[in-house]
Amino acid sequence: MEKTKDKFFGFLVAADKAGALQFIDHWAESKSYEKALLEVVEPALQKFGKLWARQEDVNLAQGYISAKIAESVLLRIVEERKQNETQIKTKGIAVVGNIEDDYHALGRKMVYNFLLISGWEVYDLGNDVLAEEFVNKAVDVNASVIGASAMMYSNAKNMLKIRNALNDRNLSGKIKFAVGGAIFNLRPKLVEEIKADGTAANAIEAVELFNCLTAELGK
Amino acid sequence: MNGKQRVLAAINGDYKDRPALSLTLSLYGARLIKCPLTEYYCDPDKYVEGQQKSVDIIAPDLVYSPFALPLYGKAFGSEIKIYQNQAPNLAKPVIKKIEDIKKLDFKRAIESAEINYFVESIKGLHRALGDETFIGAIALGPVDLPIMLMGIGDWLDLVISYPDEAASLIEKTSDFFLKLSELFFDAGASAIVLPSCFVNPSIVTKEIAIDLLAKSEKAFANAKGPLVLHSAGAKLLPFLNIFQELKNVAAFVISSDDDIQNARHYLPDGQVIIGNLEGPDLNRMEPNEIAGETEKICNTCDADPHFIFGTSGADIPYDTPLENIRIIKETLEMSR
């Protein structure tokens, strides 16, 4: 099994989407995509996420292709679940988006994909989202986590408005507030400055963050 | 010596009275003349006035044309966002799906108001400052322009998943770059500065970088003047050995994360190294810290005849106290 995981991990490192999917398709033929997710894809992604967090020779191309691979595997799983009429319990509900004035969508899209494949129900609000829109949507869909993304410091400062909006509506203990984006890796103290509940070093590790934040809510 | 002479001395490896100074004050010029950015990024006269003011007050040896890359996207139909105190950003790319690539109108783009703004800004800078100051014209290269047309994610996807379509687009953007650089040189640019936003180790693998540079080779080989490769904030060092083989590249603006001495190891033939103080950090540093960093970098490069001290990364932020910029010049003057 370790060999299988290592081989799939190799496809992630090589940013080889075609190779990765061919490998998973072949593996799932005798088992299932659901098993492939649990036994091959998730462990390889976690290993890749740790490497990425340490910034060890990992670049955006590899991260992006990993997210696309995750997305494709997810589509296969959805199809498989439909055929088998399997019902899956979601891990939680999240609302994600780029904060007001921010248009750097890539990281947010990757977080969206990794959350989906990990069993989250996710609502993606897109770019340039106002704090009120984040909170309104989170209330509407009963989300446990709001995930806001920004690339630059000047835009990241707008995230404080989310905390203020949560406080104004007495929602801070009920909805967790996660932040991410390149600026938080450069300036880790910014998380405290904008009173967020946590951040993650990359899109893959965001899943673990969302899981932990939801656990803190007792959900 | 004037600024232009100092920069030329660095290129030629000749004596200079002090290290030449390159500061990315493209955005900061607007603050110095209190010009709203909505006006500054479309009126070449305002841009030139801002840069003239920066030369009057701070006197860098090298000035840049507008560092406003999303305007290249706008020239093709992308939507951009103009802020009150930062450079513009891409809001909605013109290409939404692969088929849209065929609809790109390169002829119309080269005649657009945005490209005209760049050209007129360079002409104005040349008229006002060209005798004494080196003028770096910022242009998006063939593999970076697509970011402003489709966003970095879709461009990455195209490069990896649809290499033939990517190659065909690079062919067109290479021709566009050559036309653009000709316009810029004719307008008075001393060199064309290409921010390497895409081909850098934080974005792509080395294999992808080599492939993309090979596909855009003609843009470098046929340029009618010197080119400067700008790190755009990312580390350049891991790719310097492939960049240094590109034709007509006379200088590199390295990242503040790059080790200057190691960078020189990869550039033994006298290509100029520019940098290495992190420009975007200047608004949150104390003047004494900035002076210390400046002195340290100057001491490291003391014996390097092809070194130009400068800020690395993108623009010096709008809210940077003027004393934080002035201290750089003062420290440099003391290192004579």
Short mmCIF file of all heavy atoms in Angstrom, two decimals, chain B residues 251-304:
data_model
loop_
_atom_site.label_atom_id
_atom_site.label_comp_id
_atom_site.label_asym_id
_atom_site.label_seq_id
_atom_site.Cartn_x
_atom_site.Cartn_y
_atom_site.Cartn_z
N ALA B 251 20.20 42.71 -17.34
CA ALA B 251 20.16 42.88 -15.88
C ALA B 251 19.02 42.07 -15.27
O ALA B 251 18.05 41.71 -15.96
CB ALA B 251 19.97 44.36 -15.54
N PHE B 252 19.14 41.82 -13.97
CA PHE B 252 18.12 41.09 -13.22
C PHE B 252 17.78 41.87 -11.95
O PHE B 252 18.69 42.21 -11.19
CB PHE B 252 18.63 39.71 -12.80
CG PHE B 252 18.87 38.80 -13.97
CD1 PHE B 252 20.11 38.78 -14.61
CD2 PHE B 252 17.86 37.97 -14.44
CE1 PHE B 252 20.33 37.96 -15.70
CE2 PHE B 252 18.08 37.14 -15.53
CZ PHE B 252 19.32 37.13 -16.16
N VAL B 253 16.50 42.14 -11.73
CA VAL B 253 16.07 42.67 -10.43
C VAL B 253 15.75 41.44 -9.59
O VAL B 253 14.76 40.75 -9.83
CB VAL B 253 14.82 43.57 -10.56
CG1 VAL B 253 14.43 44.11 -9.18
CG2 VAL B 253 15.07 44.72 -11.53
N ILE B 254 16.64 41.15 -8.64
CA ILE B 254 16.45 39.93 -7.86
C ILE B 254 15.50 40.19 -6.69
O ILE B 254 15.15 41.33 -6.40
CB ILE B 254 17.80 39.35 -7.35
CG1 ILE B 254 18.51 40.36 -6.45
CG2 ILE B 254 18.67 38.95 -8.52
CD1 ILE B 254 19.69 39.77 -5.70
N SER B 255 15.11 39.11 -6.02
CA SER B 255 14.22 39.24 -4.87
C SER B 255 15.03 39.52 -3.61
O SER B 255 16.22 39.19 -3.53
CB SER B 255 13.45 37.93 -4.72
OG SER B 255 13.06 37.73 -3.40
N SER B 256 14.37 40.08 -2.61
CA SER B 256 15.07 40.30 -1.34
C SER B 256 15.36 38.96 -0.65
O SER B 256 16.19 38.90 0.25
CB SER B 256 14.24 41.19 -0.42
OG SER B 256 13.00 40.61 -0.18
N ASP B 257 14.69 37.90 -1.10
CA ASP B 257 14.97 36.56 -0.54
C ASP B 257 16.14 35.87 -1.25
O ASP B 257 16.58 34.81 -0.83
CB ASP B 257 13.73 35.66 -0.68
CG ASP B 257 12.63 36.06 0.26
OD1 ASP B 257 12.96 36.63 1.31
OD2 ASP B 257 11.45 35.84 -0.06
N ASP B 258 16.59 36.44 -2.35
CA ASP B 258 17.73 35.85 -3.07
C ASP B 258 19.04 36.28 -2.42
O ASP B 258 19.18 37.43 -2.00
CB ASP B 258 17.74 36.32 -4.53
CG ASP B 258 16.65 35.66 -5.36
OD1 ASP B 258 16.38 34.46 -5.15
OD2 ASP B 258 16.07 36.34 -6.22
N ASP B 259 20.00 35.38 -2.38
CA ASP B 259 21.32 35.71 -1.87
C ASP B 259 22.11 36.38 -3.01
O ASP B 259 22.32 35.77 -4.07
CB ASP B 259 22.01 34.43 -1.41
CG ASP B 259 23.39 34.68 -0.85
OD1 ASP B 259 24.31 35.01 -1.64
OD2 ASP B 259 23.53 34.58 0.37
N ILE B 260 22.55 37.62 -2.78
CA ILE B 260 23.18 38.37 -3.87
C ILE B 260 24.47 37.70 -4.36
O ILE B 260 24.72 37.61 -5.56
CB ILE B 260 23.52 39.82 -3.45
CG1 ILE B 260 22.25 40.54 -2.98
CG2 ILE B 260 24.13 40.59 -4.61
CD1 ILE B 260 22.49 41.97 -2.55
N GLN B 261 25.25 37.23 -3.41
CA GLN B 261 26.53 36.63 -3.83
C GLN B 261 26.31 35.34 -4.63
O GLN B 261 27.02 35.06 -5.59
CB GLN B 261 27.42 36.40 -2.62
CG GLN B 261 28.05 37.72 -2.17
CD GLN B 261 28.72 37.63 -0.84
OE1 GLN B 261 28.23 36.96 0.08
NE2 GLN B 261 29.83 38.32 -0.71
N ASN B 262 25.31 34.58 -4.22
CA ASN B 262 24.97 33.38 -4.99
C ASN B 262 24.47 33.77 -6.38
O ASN B 262 24.75 33.09 -7.36
CB ASN B 262 23.86 32.60 -4.28
CG ASN B 262 24.41 31.46 -3.48
OD1 ASN B 262 25.55 31.06 -3.69
ND2 ASN B 262 23.63 30.94 -2.55
N ALA B 263 23.69 34.85 -6.42
CA ALA B 263 23.17 35.31 -7.71
C ALA B 263 24.34 35.66 -8.64
O ALA B 263 24.33 35.31 -9.82
CB ALA B 263 22.27 36.53 -7.52
N ARG B 264 25.34 36.30 -8.10
CA ARG B 264 26.51 36.65 -8.92
C ARG B 264 27.22 35.39 -9.43
O ARG B 264 27.71 35.35 -10.56
CB ARG B 264 27.47 37.54 -8.11
CG ARG B 264 28.78 37.87 -8.79
CD ARG B 264 28.58 38.48 -10.19
NE ARG B 264 27.97 39.80 -10.16
CZ ARG B 264 27.24 40.29 -11.17
NH1 ARG B 264 27.01 39.57 -12.26
NH2 ARG B 264 26.71 41.48 -11.10
N HIS B 265 27.22 34.35 -8.62
CA HIS B 265 27.82 33.08 -9.02
C HIS B 265 27.18 32.56 -10.32
O HIS B 265 27.83 31.99 -11.18
CB HIS B 265 27.65 32.07 -7.88
CG HIS B 265 28.00 30.67 -8.25
ND1 HIS B 265 29.31 30.24 -8.36
CD2 HIS B 265 27.22 29.60 -8.55
CE1 HIS B 265 29.30 28.96 -8.72
NE2 HIS B 265 28.05 28.56 -8.84
N TYR B 266 25.84 32.78 -10.44
CA TYR B 266 25.14 32.32 -11.64
C TYR B 266 25.28 33.29 -12.81
O TYR B 266 24.92 32.97 -13.94
CB TYR B 266 23.65 32.12 -11.35
CG TYR B 266 23.36 30.88 -10.56
CD1 TYR B 266 23.00 30.96 -9.23
CD2 TYR B 266 23.45 29.62 -11.15
CE1 TYR B 266 22.74 29.81 -8.49
CE2 TYR B 266 23.20 28.47 -10.42
CZ TYR B 266 22.84 28.57 -9.10
OH TYR B 266 22.59 27.44 -8.37
N LEU B 267 25.77 34.49 -12.52
CA LEU B 267 25.87 35.52 -13.57
C LEU B 267 27.31 36.01 -13.67
O LEU B 267 27.61 37.17 -13.38
CB LEU B 267 24.94 36.70 -13.24
CG LEU B 267 23.46 36.39 -13.02
CD1 LEU B 267 22.72 37.60 -12.47
CD2 LEU B 267 22.82 35.92 -14.32
N PRO B 268 28.20 35.15 -14.09
CA PRO B 268 29.61 35.52 -14.07
C PRO B 268 30.01 36.46 -15.19
O PRO B 268 31.09 37.05 -15.16
CB PRO B 268 30.33 34.17 -14.21
CG PRO B 268 29.36 33.30 -14.93
CD PRO B 268 27.99 33.79 -14.59
N ASP B 269 29.14 36.62 -16.19
CA ASP B 269 29.55 37.39 -17.37
C ASP B 269 29.21 38.88 -17.28
O ASP B 269 29.12 39.57 -18.30
CB ASP B 269 28.91 36.80 -18.63
CG ASP B 269 29.37 35.37 -18.85
OD1 ASP B 269 30.48 35.05 -18.41
OD2 ASP B 269 28.60 34.58 -19.42
N GLY B 270 28.96 39.35 -16.10
CA GLY B 270 28.79 40.79 -15.95
C GLY B 270 27.38 41.31 -16.15
O GLY B 270 27.19 42.52 -16.30
N GLN B 271 26.38 40.41 -16.16
CA GLN B 271 25.02 40.94 -16.18
C GLN B 271 24.77 41.67 -14.85
O GLN B 271 25.29 41.28 -13.81
CB GLN B 271 24.01 39.82 -16.39
CG GLN B 271 23.96 39.34 -17.84
CD GLN B 271 23.46 37.91 -17.95
OE1 GLN B 271 23.96 37.02 -17.27
NE2 GLN B 271 22.50 37.69 -18.82
N VAL B 272 23.99 42.73 -14.94
CA VAL B 272 23.80 43.58 -13.77
C VAL B 272 22.80 42.94 -12.79
O VAL B 272 21.81 42.35 -13.21
CB VAL B 272 23.28 44.97 -14.22
CG1 VAL B 272 22.90 45.84 -13.03
CG2 VAL B 272 24.32 45.66 -15.09
N ILE B 273 23.10 43.08 -11.51
CA ILE B 273 22.16 42.65 -10.47
C ILE B 273 21.58 43.89 -9.82
O ILE B 273 22.33 44.78 -9.39
CB ILE B 273 22.87 41.77 -9.41
CG1 ILE B 273 23.30 40.44 -10.05
CG2 ILE B 273 21.95 41.52 -8.21
CD1 ILE B 273 24.14 39.57 -9.14
N ILE B 274 20.25 43.96 -9.76
CA ILE B 274 19.56 45.10 -9.15
C ILE B 274 18.74 44.59 -7.97
O ILE B 274 18.11 43.56 -8.03
CB ILE B 274 18.63 45.79 -10.17
CG1 ILE B 274 19.39 46.18 -11.45
CG2 ILE B 274 17.98 47.03 -9.56
CD1 ILE B 274 18.51 46.70 -12.59
N GLY B 275 18.70 45.31 -6.88
CA GLY B 275 17.91 44.93 -5.71
C GLY B 275 18.70 45.28 -4.46
O GLY B 275 19.62 46.07 -4.55
N ASN B 276 18.41 44.83 -3.36
CA ASN B 276 17.83 43.64 -2.84
C ASN B 276 17.09 43.97 -1.54
O ASN B 276 16.93 43.14 -0.67
CB ASN B 276 19.00 42.66 -2.67
CG ASN B 276 18.78 41.40 -2.01
OD1 ASN B 276 17.76 40.80 -2.19
ND2 ASN B 276 19.74 40.97 -1.22
N LEU B 277 16.65 45.24 -1.45
CA LEU B 277 15.87 45.69 -0.28
C LEU B 277 14.40 45.52 -0.62
O LEU B 277 13.96 45.95 -1.68
CB LEU B 277 16.19 47.17 0.01
CG LEU B 277 15.50 47.81 1.20
CD1 LEU B 277 16.03 47.24 2.51
CD2 LEU B 277 15.72 49.33 1.19
N GLU B 278 13.64 44.90 0.26
CA GLU B 278 12.24 44.60 -0.04
C GLU B 278 11.39 45.88 -0.06
O GLU B 278 11.03 46.42 0.99
CB GLU B 278 11.71 43.58 0.97
CG GLU B 278 10.28 43.12 0.78
CD GLU B 278 10.04 42.35 -0.53
OE1 GLU B 278 11.00 42.07 -1.27
OE2 GLU B 278 8.86 42.05 -0.81
N GLY B 279 11.06 46.36 -1.24
CA GLY B 279 10.31 47.61 -1.39
C GLY B 279 8.95 47.59 -0.71
O GLY B 279 8.61 48.52 0.03
N PRO B 280 8.14 46.54 -0.91
CA PRO B 280 6.80 46.53 -0.30
C PRO B 280 6.80 46.53 1.23
O PRO B 280 5.76 46.73 1.84
CB PRO B 280 6.18 45.24 -0.86
CG PRO B 280 6.88 45.02 -2.15
CD PRO B 280 8.30 45.46 -1.90
N ASP B 281 7.97 46.29 1.86
CA ASP B 281 8.04 46.31 3.33
C ASP B 281 8.38 47.69 3.89
O ASP B 281 8.36 47.87 5.12
CB ASP B 281 9.12 45.33 3.82
CG ASP B 281 8.63 43.90 3.82
OD1 ASP B 281 7.43 43.70 3.53
OD2 ASP B 281 9.45 43.00 4.08
N LEU B 282 8.71 48.64 3.05
CA LEU B 282 9.26 49.90 3.55
C LEU B 282 8.28 50.69 4.42
O LEU B 282 8.69 51.51 5.24
CB LEU B 282 9.73 50.79 2.40
CG LEU B 282 10.97 50.31 1.63
CD1 LEU B 282 11.38 51.34 0.60
CD2 LEU B 282 12.13 50.04 2.57
N ASN B 283 6.99 50.44 4.24
CA ASN B 283 6.01 51.20 5.02
C ASN B 283 5.91 50.73 6.47
O ASN B 283 5.32 51.39 7.30
CB ASN B 283 4.61 51.16 4.36
CG ASN B 283 4.07 49.75 4.24
OD1 ASN B 283 4.82 48.77 4.36
ND2 ASN B 283 2.78 49.63 3.99
N ARG B 284 6.47 49.57 6.76
CA ARG B 284 6.39 49.11 8.15
C ARG B 284 7.77 48.88 8.77
O ARG B 284 7.92 48.14 9.73
CB ARG B 284 5.49 47.88 8.28
CG ARG B 284 5.78 46.78 7.32
CD ARG B 284 4.58 45.86 7.19
NE ARG B 284 4.75 44.94 6.10
CZ ARG B 284 5.32 43.76 6.22
NH1 ARG B 284 5.79 43.37 7.37
NH2 ARG B 284 5.42 42.97 5.17
N MET B 285 8.77 49.53 8.20
CA MET B 285 10.11 49.46 8.79
C MET B 285 10.45 50.83 9.37
O MET B 285 9.92 51.85 8.95
CB MET B 285 11.15 49.08 7.72
CG MET B 285 11.04 47.64 7.24
SD MET B 285 12.12 47.32 5.82
CE MET B 285 13.72 47.08 6.61
N GLU B 286 11.35 50.83 10.34
CA GLU B 286 11.83 52.09 10.90
C GLU B 286 13.01 52.57 10.05
O GLU B 286 13.75 51.76 9.49
CB GLU B 286 12.31 51.86 12.34
CG GLU B 286 11.21 51.49 13.31
CD GLU B 286 10.17 52.60 13.47
OE1 GLU B 286 10.55 53.79 13.44
OE2 GLU B 286 8.97 52.27 13.59
N PRO B 287 13.19 53.91 9.98
CA PRO B 287 14.30 54.44 9.16
C PRO B 287 15.67 53.83 9.51
O PRO B 287 16.45 53.53 8.62
CB PRO B 287 14.27 55.95 9.46
CG PRO B 287 12.85 56.22 9.82
CD PRO B 287 12.35 54.99 10.51
N ASN B 288 15.93 53.63 10.82
CA ASN B 288 17.24 53.07 11.17
C ASN B 288 17.41 51.62 10.68
O ASN B 288 18.48 51.19 10.32
CB ASN B 288 17.52 53.20 12.68
CG ASN B 288 16.51 52.46 13.52
OD1 ASN B 288 15.44 52.09 13.03
ND2 ASN B 288 16.82 52.24 14.79
N GLU B 289 16.27 50.89 10.67
CA GLU B 289 16.30 49.52 10.14
C GLU B 289 16.63 49.55 8.64
O GLU B 289 17.42 48.75 8.13
CB GLU B 289 14.90 48.90 10.22
CG GLU B 289 14.59 48.01 11.38
CD GLU B 289 13.16 47.50 11.22
OE1 GLU B 289 12.22 48.25 11.56
OE2 GLU B 289 13.00 46.39 10.71
N ILE B 290 15.98 50.47 7.95
CA ILE B 290 16.18 50.59 6.51
C ILE B 290 17.63 50.97 6.21
O ILE B 290 18.27 50.40 5.32
CB ILE B 290 15.20 51.63 5.90
CG1 ILE B 290 13.76 51.16 6.10
CG2 ILE B 290 15.50 51.88 4.43
CD1 ILE B 290 12.70 52.21 5.79
N ALA B 291 18.15 51.91 7.02
CA ALA B 291 19.55 52.32 6.83
C ALA B 291 20.48 51.13 7.05
O ALA B 291 21.44 50.92 6.28
CB ALA B 291 19.89 53.46 7.79
N GLY B 292 20.19 50.34 8.09
CA GLY B 292 21.02 49.17 8.40
C GLY B 292 21.02 48.16 7.26
O GLY B 292 22.07 47.65 6.86
N GLU B 293 19.83 47.88 6.75
CA GLU B 293 19.70 46.93 5.63
C GLU B 293 20.45 47.44 4.40
O GLU B 293 21.14 46.69 3.72
CB GLU B 293 18.22 46.76 5.26
CG GLU B 293 17.44 45.85 6.20
CD GLU B 293 17.79 44.39 5.98
OE1 GLU B 293 17.87 43.95 4.84
OE2 GLU B 293 18.01 43.71 7.01
N THR B 294 20.27 48.73 4.14
CA THR B 294 20.91 49.34 2.96
C THR B 294 22.43 49.21 3.06
O THR B 294 23.10 48.81 2.11
CB THR B 294 20.50 50.83 2.85
OG1 THR B 294 19.08 50.90 2.78
CG2 THR B 294 21.11 51.49 1.63
N GLU B 295 22.93 49.52 4.24
CA GLU B 295 24.38 49.48 4.45
C GLU B 295 24.91 48.05 4.30
O GLU B 295 25.94 47.82 3.65
CB GLU B 295 24.67 49.99 5.87
CG GLU B 295 26.05 50.59 6.01
CD GLU B 295 26.27 51.13 7.41
OE1 GLU B 295 25.28 51.52 8.08
OE2 GLU B 295 27.45 51.15 7.83
N LYS B 296 24.14 47.12 4.85
CA LYS B 296 24.56 45.71 4.79
C LYS B 296 24.64 45.24 3.32
O LYS B 296 25.62 44.61 2.91
CB LYS B 296 23.53 44.85 5.56
CG LYS B 296 24.06 43.51 6.00
CD LYS B 296 23.11 42.86 6.98
CE LYS B 296 22.21 41.87 6.27
NZ LYS B 296 21.18 41.29 7.13
N ILE B 297 23.62 45.58 2.57
CA ILE B 297 23.59 45.14 1.16
C ILE B 297 24.74 45.81 0.39
O ILE B 297 25.43 45.16 -0.40
CB ILE B 297 22.22 45.47 0.52
CG1 ILE B 297 21.11 44.65 1.20
CG2 ILE B 297 22.23 45.20 -0.98
CD1 ILE B 297 19.69 45.14 0.92
N CYS B 298 24.94 47.10 0.64
CA CYS B 298 26.02 47.82 -0.06
C CYS B 298 27.39 47.22 0.28
O CYS B 298 28.25 47.09 -0.60
CB CYS B 298 25.99 49.30 0.29
SG CYS B 298 24.66 50.16 -0.53
N ASN B 299 27.57 46.88 1.55
CA ASN B 299 28.86 46.29 1.94
C ASN B 299 29.08 44.95 1.26
O ASN B 299 30.18 44.64 0.81
CB ASN B 299 28.93 46.10 3.47
CG ASN B 299 29.08 47.43 4.19
OD1 ASN B 299 29.48 48.43 3.57
ND2 ASN B 299 28.72 47.46 5.46
N THR B 300 28.00 44.16 1.16
CA THR B 300 28.10 42.84 0.51
C THR B 300 28.52 43.00 -0.95
O THR B 300 29.27 42.19 -1.48
CB THR B 300 26.73 42.12 0.58
OG1 THR B 300 26.32 42.06 1.92
CG2 THR B 300 26.80 40.72 0.01
N CYS B 301 28.03 44.05 -1.59
CA CYS B 301 28.25 44.19 -3.03
C CYS B 301 29.32 45.23 -3.38
O CYS B 301 29.44 45.63 -4.54
CB CYS B 301 26.94 44.57 -3.71
SG CYS B 301 25.70 43.33 -3.47
N ASP B 302 30.04 45.64 -2.36
CA ASP B 302 31.03 46.70 -2.51
C ASP B 302 31.96 46.47 -3.70
O ASP B 302 32.28 47.39 -4.46
CB ASP B 302 31.83 46.76 -1.20
CG ASP B 302 32.64 48.02 -1.12
OD1 ASP B 302 32.19 49.02 -1.70
OD2 ASP B 302 33.72 47.99 -0.49
N ALA B 303 32.38 45.22 -3.88
CA ALA B 303 33.39 44.95 -4.91
C ALA B 303 32.77 44.56 -6.25
O ALA B 303 33.48 44.26 -7.20
CB ALA B 303 34.29 43.82 -4.42
N ASP B 304 31.44 44.57 -6.32
CA ASP B 304 30.78 44.14 -7.56
C ASP B 304 30.53 45.34 -8.47
O ASP B 304 29.67 46.17 -8.18
CB ASP B 304 29.46 43.44 -7.21
CG ASP B 304 28.81 42.75 -8.41
OD1 ASP B 304 29.13 43.15 -9.55
OD2 ASP B 304 28.02 41.83 -8.21
#
